[in-house]
Amino acid sequence: MTQPRPDEFKPPPECPVFEPTWEEFADPFAFINKIRSIGEKTGICKVRPPPDWQPPFACDVDKLHFTPRIQRLNELEAQTRVKLNFLDKIAKFWELQGCSLKIPHVERKILDLYQLNKNVADEGGFDIVCRDRRWTAIALKMGFAPGKAVGSHLRSHYERILYPYNLFQSGANLTPELASKLMHLVSSPDLDMKPTLPVDTGDKEYKPHDLVERQQLVQPPESCCNSARRAKRMRVESGCVKTEQGSPMCENNRPNMCENNRPNLRRRMGSFVAKPEPVEKEIPILVKEEPIELLSEIEKNKCRYKKKPSLDGPPPAMSVVDLYVCLVCNSGSDEDRLLLCDGCDDSYHTFCLIPPLHDVPKGDWRCPKCLAQECSKLPEAFGFEQAYKDYSLRAFGDMADSFKSDYFNMPVHMVPTELVEKEFWRLVSTIEEDVTVEYGADIASKEFGSGFPIRNGRFKVSQKDEKYLRCGWNLNNMAMMAPSVLTHVTADICGMTLPWLYVGMCFSSFCWHIEDHWSYSINYLHWGEPKTWYGAPGYAAEQLEAVMKKLTPELFQMQPDLLHQLVTIMNPNTLMSYGVPIYRTNQCAGEFVITFPRAYHSGFNQGFNFAEAVNFCTVDWMPLGRQCVEHYRLLHRYCVFSHDEMICKMASKADSLDVVLASAVQKDMKAMITEERELRDAIRNMGVLHCEQAEYDLLQDDERQCAKCRTTCYLSAITCPCRPGQLVCLHHVHDLCSCPITNYTLNYRFTLDDLYPMMNAVKQRAEAYDQWASQVTEILEAKLDKKKSLSVFRSLIDESDSKMFPDNDLLRQLRLVTRDAETCFRVAQQLLNGRKPTRYRCGGGKTQSQLTVEELRSFVRQLYNLPCSLPQAPKLKEFLNRIEDFQQHSDKLLAVEVPGTVEVQSLLDVSADFDVVLPELLLLRERLEQARWLEGLQEARAQPSTMTLDTMRRLIDQGVGLSPDPSVQQAVASLQELLTVSEHWEDQASTLIRARPPLSFQALSEAADMVGAIPAQLPNCVLLKDSIGRAREWLHEAQNLLDEDSIPMFSRLSDVVQRGQAIPVHLEPLKQLETLVSEVHAWKEAAAKTFLIKDSHFTLLEVLCPRCEIETGSPKRKWRKSKEVTVQSRNTMQLQSLSDLEKALSESTDSTSALAALKEARCREMEALASLRAANESKLLPTAHCMDLKVCVCQKVPMGAMLQCELCRDAFHSVCVRAPSEPRSAQAWLCPHCQRSLKPPLDKALALLAALQRIRVRLPEGDALNYLVERTASWQRCAQHASNSCGLFDLEKSFGMPPSPDGKPPCLTLEWNRTGHDQMVFYTEQRCIPLQGLSGELEDLMVEGLLLEVSLPEIAHLYHVLLNTRPTPHSDRHTSPHDDHTSDCDEDKQRNSQGRSSPRIEVWEHSQGGLKKDVVTGAEKKAKRRLQRDAVEAEHRDKAKKLQNKRQKMNTEKTVERRAASTSSSPRSDFSQSDDSEEEMAMCPAEGCQQPEGDEVDWVQCDGTCNQWFHQVCVGVTAELAEKEDYVCVRCTVREGR
């Protein structure tokens, strides 16, 4: 940690800080009076309001404009200002001599010339110091280190700079020796610029301070740039001159020397911007102090010397210069050395001057006479300048924040207050640095509005903030509240009765001062950064003034009332070093600072903030107020208001005055009348005979001020006819004029006879208080029977409140006694009534209102010792006797070893009426808790099921927590033993249960028997017993399962194994049963590999069982159908889903019942599949709506290459159900819904069934496989029977095997034509078995063969036979040749549409004798189609009539013919034209259809092959062209090659 510098500022101690409660904060004057004794010791104190007290800021920020004061920090400090004044004098002396002053450096520090001059003067002067060789002592005194020959340097500097000035000041004559000596001192080489004193190269030139003259300069215009706030006073000399912007310049680039246009000596606000530049380029501005003649530099140099005549030319005439002679030596010789004064034009030799000049100065020069005249001018009083511009609050804040952040090079809120404080006191104490700030002080709130809200003000107060309008801490209210004496001052005094506003910035300060009339002041910081305060108590005011006068007598010689001007500060450390007590504080936003009477205070602002202050005066101030007026009279300082006038106005309102105030007014008035009587008597003795009454309270204060002391006169004054309007007080009669005193007139406001009655009225007001005080004293000292009741005390307090008697010690004592009596009354009544905050019966504690028995005795004694009598005292005495009886009975009961619970409780019930602290209650409660614990233990032992480990631990904890007792301790020990045994067996049981491998049944049974003897409820032991019981039951069930002759179900076997695995006991049969379960799982895996397709979503049981859920269309239709079936079959066996079937198989008792369920499922499968096949076949008939068809897994319209499932007969897109690389098979193609398994050969299924029979375990999959085998065998028998009876295999041999589908071209099928749609084509890649004419028996045989989940060669043989069988025509059908031709065409078209390859379809019907073959000839089909076509044509004619309104301009006949042609063009077109929707007929297939709208839209029909309708506007055809010519669309044109 670094040590502080010796000259570093050390903060004074902190002043008191008060944080009042809301109750204390309610009355500001009462609170201030309460803290006055503390605050007067420090002079200042800080008050923090309650946190919720936050008044709104009511000042109008936008309208607040002010002109701040300019403060140069080092001019504020008293000692620094003395030094600056001295240096200014030295600089002016040398400047008038034609030289500039440079302050030297010694030991790398600027030499303090003022201190050096003062120390030399204190030692007796330059000659004595040189003679006695005291320069080393002076160096030590100035703080230089010894042994470095500093003394010789100091002598050299003093002799060079200060000694000539002191010689000049002393008025010494110039002797030859002295002249030679001075010539030697100031000798220096010739320079181009103004000669300076010989200095070291490191010396810096001093810029004169000009504290007085600067304030008389004309302010620079506001257009000047903003200046830097900080600059160095010392500048290194260089070759250029910097001037302010806008300054007029004379020749040689020098500023104009006119006084009104002088360059400013300092970089400050409103002047030029001081930018950092290299040191060698800077040069100080040479300042001229006096007005000079407006002559150019060349003319001046010409006039300085007397020129000699030229030898070559003719003798010139006698010039004016020849008439000048040196006023020192009266000689005109050495005319080239004669120097003319710029002030008076006197001439002097350069060597005759003191000090002598080596060369002629280039600037202005003044002779010794003018120099003496200039230096002898009395300086004017120091004061602050006003700034150059008017600021708004926002602009000032921006400037202030920018200054602080730039100065400290960090954000304003991050600068520590300690750093700002130390830097402030460093800056005010240095002469090297000039820092200029601005302070918006003493801004009248009456003009711009207060920061606090006021009634009828511009700021609109919300309802919740209306309390601040009336609050006493609102500074607009405080000065004029009743307790403030200033309420009797009628005039509004800014700063005293009206608040002043203060807008500060960093380093802006308020100097040492006391308030006007030594009054109180209160300052509130509304917002912003803190304000640092320093204060001295009032008793140290004269001490502080004495120290400042001692240290800076020069300032007080110029301004005796310097401390009343608020322009001077002094370092608190300096004052404290002289014994002045100083205290400090940091006032933050929202805090008050109060200064007490005659307490000097000062401070500075940490940054931008906004504060408000006002004065107030209390009763205790009045003696100081009169003393202050006397002090002002000695200083000749004006008064803010007349003290005598205020006293007289208060006396005129004696009846309404506060008693304390009346007493103080009476004392002050007595002193005032006494002094006035003596002065008037003295005036009469002087000879003043004329008297006249004057109404001085009607005059302004400045019209009745004493001409001598400036005191405001009120009671009397002296005037003279020779000087109308001028008067003096009675203390300065002789200072009025030179007229005889007999001519004077005594003007008086009141006669003495008027003043005495006023004083008596105030006295009577004060005497009423005396009578009240005597009565209070009497009742407070009453004894025994003379005591008064409490009501008498209250009445005296009410009287003091009504008459506003002072809050003195007597009244406080009366209030205290009354409050104590009322408290005793309430407590006594509470004790008698038995009302308590909490009633205790079973437990509780001491309340705040409870008393001990001893305190009750003391309280009873206190009741009898009170100055007043209370009726509760006798009753409370009886109450105390009852308590003492209770204590006696309690002691007897506690002596019993084991008292009864009832007896203890009865005593406790009696104590419930005693609201006192009884020590016996605690013991009785302890005994009651012990008895209850023992009872609880006995109840737990009686019921072992409730005696758990937690119960035992809880009882033990409760017992340990009880007070020590032998019976309780014995019971706790027994319970602890039981807990130990129980915990041991609980852990042992847990170990036995969790043992791996599990223990035997016998070992666990033995442990369970031992656990049963413990009288406690132990979870693990209970679990152990339960495990033994479950193991016993499982062994019995497993034995029965293994001993049964029937084959067990796999579900039961798995359940037994799972339950056995959950029992923590070693079970012998479990391993055997687990082996069976694993074998079943292995069988199921083998079966799944055999039957299931890879990544199939079907389960093994779902594949082996008949299908229960068959999709009959869309998912929606499927759901509806299944729902209907479910409703219809509620009363039958529920086999609607696989889960139902699986449940039926699991619940079956034997294989027979399982096969019955599967057979029923097979029947349902066949029925559902038949319905599905019929629905899918009807969907593909020619009469179906093409665009409404939804086929395939994608549920879209048929298109392109299609496949038809042989089982469900539904159509599928080839790209949706077949991979591109999948080869085409000659087998029947099944869709993804029908192809559910791999369909292994029958021998593999038989092998799996044999393996399951060896395991001897029944499971649903096994029953399903068994049924599948039986169903396959049954189908084989039916297929064999069909083959034998119908000769199917002979047909197969005759036709042969069909070629592979890959080698046959696909059958093309045109999509049905529909109005408004493009024509689309789909075809089937693989042929299907034709169903026309196929008998139901063969169809069922083929369907059931495809349903089998095993592969048989018979199924493939049957498929190929039915696929290639050709039907023959019937014998009874006859057709004509023409009809045969037509039928053949129709049959060809039908074959194309249905994917058939044979010209005729042979239908086989099953009959009793076998198969009957019916042949349908082409003639019959032709007749059938003709009937259908006639019906469709009639329907189309009706539709054409309906569309006639839309096609009014089209040829109707042409339309009918084309529609008829369209009807016969395709077998499917008839179906497409059966749609009744006019909307679909009105759709135009043209690309980029414009969709025309309106009542009439013109259409045209293509005359090509498509016969589609188009909007005429979409294909570019007019109505006339459509009627006259045929129209062929683009597609037909391309297709037909047109």
Side-chain angles (χ1 to χ4, degrees), residues 1383-1440:
S1383 177
D1384 292 340
C1385 295
D1386 293 341
E1387 287 176 357
D1388 292 339
K1389 294 177 181 178
Q1390 184 177 1
R1391 282 195 299 270
N1392 291 336
S1393 62
Q1394 295 293 335
R1396 308 290 187 258
S1397 58
S1398 61
R1400 290 184 299 171
I1401 297 176
E1402 297 180 355
V1403 179
W1404 296 86
E1405 294 183 357
H1406 182 69
S1407 64
Q1408 294 180 355
L1411 294 175
K1412 176 183 173 182
K1413 185 175 180 183
D1414 293 338
V1415 179
V1416 181
T1417 62
E1420 294 175 344
K1421 288 187 178 181
K1422 179 179 178 183
K1424 183 178 179 180
R1425 290 196 188 97
R1426 185 178 296 123
L1427 293 176
Q1428 291 178 353
R1429 183 169 63 251
D1430 294 340
V1432 170
E1433 288 177 353
E1435 182 182 0
H1436 287 172
R1437 294 189 190 99
D1438 295 337
K1439 284 184 174 263

Side-chain angles (χ1 to χ4, degrees), residues 1146-1380:
S1146 300
E1147 294 177 353
S1148 60
T1149 57
D1150 53 10
S1151 301
T1152 304
S1153 59
L1155 292 176
L1158 291 171
K1159 288 179 180 179
E1160 182 180 356
R1162 180 255 178 191
C1163 294
R1164 291 180 177 274
E1165 178 185 33
M1166 294 299 294
E1167 293 176 0
L1169 190 59
S1171 300
L1172 177 62
R1173 288 169 58 86
N1176 290 338
E1177 281 292 330
S1178 64
K1179 182 169 62 175
L1180 298 176
L1181 290 178
T1183 58
H1185 297 272
C1186 176
M1187 297 308 296
D1188 292 339
L1189 287 181
K1190 303 295 181 183
V1191 298
C1192 189
V1193 294
C1194 62
Q1195 287 297 304
K1196 294 183 180 179
V1197 298
M1199 181 183 301
M1202 303 293 291
L1203 294 174
Q1204 188 172 15
C1205 177
E1206 286 289 357
L1207 188 57
C1208 66
R1209 305 298 289 184
D1210 197 2
F1212 294 85
H1213 299 107
S1214 177
V1215 295
C1216 294
V1217 296
R1218 172 180 289 175
S1221 59
E1222 182 179 353
R1224 298 180 180 179
S1225 174
Q1227 303 296 329
W1229 184 83
L1230 300 183
C1231 66
H1233 299 298
C1234 299
Q1235 184 71 31
R1236 300 196 301 167
S1237 69
L1238 297 175
K1239 293 194 176 184
L1242 180 60
D1243 54 350
K1244 290 187 177 181
L1246 293 175
L1248 286 173
L1249 185 60
L1252 182 61
Q1253 292 175 352
R1254 287 193 298 271
I1255 298 175
R1256 292 186 57 78
V1257 175
R1258 281 189 60 216
L1259 69 161
E1261 290 82 356
D1263 293 339
L1265 181 61
N1266 186 22
Y1267 177 73
L1268 176 61
V1269 171
E1270 291 185 3
R1271 184 179 180 181
T1272 303
S1274 176
W1275 185 89
Q1276 285 178 330
R1277 289 192 295 272
C1278 292
Q1280 186 64 34
H1281 175 73
S1283 176
N1284 296 333
S1285 60
C1286 301
L1288 294 179
F1289 296 99
D1290 295 336
L1291 292 175
E1292 177 187 356
K1293 292 178 181 179
S1294 64
F1295 286 106
M1297 294 298 293
S1300 174
D1302 295 335
K1304 186 176 181 64
C1307 300
L1308 183 65
T1309 302
L1310 295 180
E1311 186 189 14
W1312 302 279
N1313 293 329
R1314 301 192 62 183
T1315 304
H1317 291 278
D1318 293 338
Q1319 195 172 34
M1320 302 178 68
V1321 178
F1322 72 89
Y1323 60 92
T1324 57
E1325 291 184 348
Q1326 187 171 351
R1327 292 186 299 142
C1328 292
I1329 298 175
L1331 300 181
Q1332 290 82 356
L1334 184 66
S1335 65
E1337 182 180 357
L1338 290 178
E1339 182 179 357
D1340 293 342
L1341 184 65
M1342 187 70 245
V1343 168
E1344 187 165 4
L1346 294 176
L1347 286 175
L1348 296 177
E1349 300 300 336
V1350 294
S1351 59
L1352 296 173
E1354 294 87 342
I1355 298 174
H1357 295 163
L1358 179 62
Y1359 168 70
H1360 291 303
V1361 168
L1362 297 181
L1363 182 66
N1364 295 284
T1365 300
R1366 294 188 178 94
T1368 59
H1370 289 282
S1371 60
D1372 54 351
R1373 301 279 180 93
H1374 300 281
T1375 57
S1376 62
H1378 180 269
D1379 292 338
D1380 292 341

Side-chain angles (χ1 to χ4, degrees), residues 72-91:
R72 296 170 180 81
L73 298 186
N74 55 5
E75 296 176 4
L76 300 178
E77 213 279 329
Q79 293 176 294
T80 308
R81 191 190 304 163
V82 170
K83 295 180 181 179
L84 294 176
N85 289 339
F86 176 76
L87 292 177
D88 285 350
K89 292 180 181 179
I90 297 296

Side-chain angles (χ1 to χ4, degrees), residues 87-146:
L87 292 177
D88 285 350
K89 292 180 181 179
I90 297 296
K92 180 178 289 188
F93 169 77
W94 284 111
E95 185 177 5
L96 295 176
Q97 294 295 313
C99 301
S100 60
L101 173 65
K102 286 190 177 182
I103 301 180
H105 282 70
V106 178
E107 293 293 321
R108 291 180 296 180
K109 294 192 303 183
I110 291 181
L111 180 61
D112 190 347
L113 295 177
Y114 170 79
Q115 192 65 30
L116 176 62
N117 185 73
K118 188 175 182 299
N119 291 338
V120 172
D122 292 342
E123 294 293 335
F126 176 74
D127 296 333
I128 295 177
V129 172
C130 292
R131 184 190 65 193
D132 297 341
R133 298 182 179 178
R134 299 181 186 174
W135 290 106
T136 303
I138 290 177
L140 295 176
K141 191 174 182 180
M142 295 183 66
F144 292 103

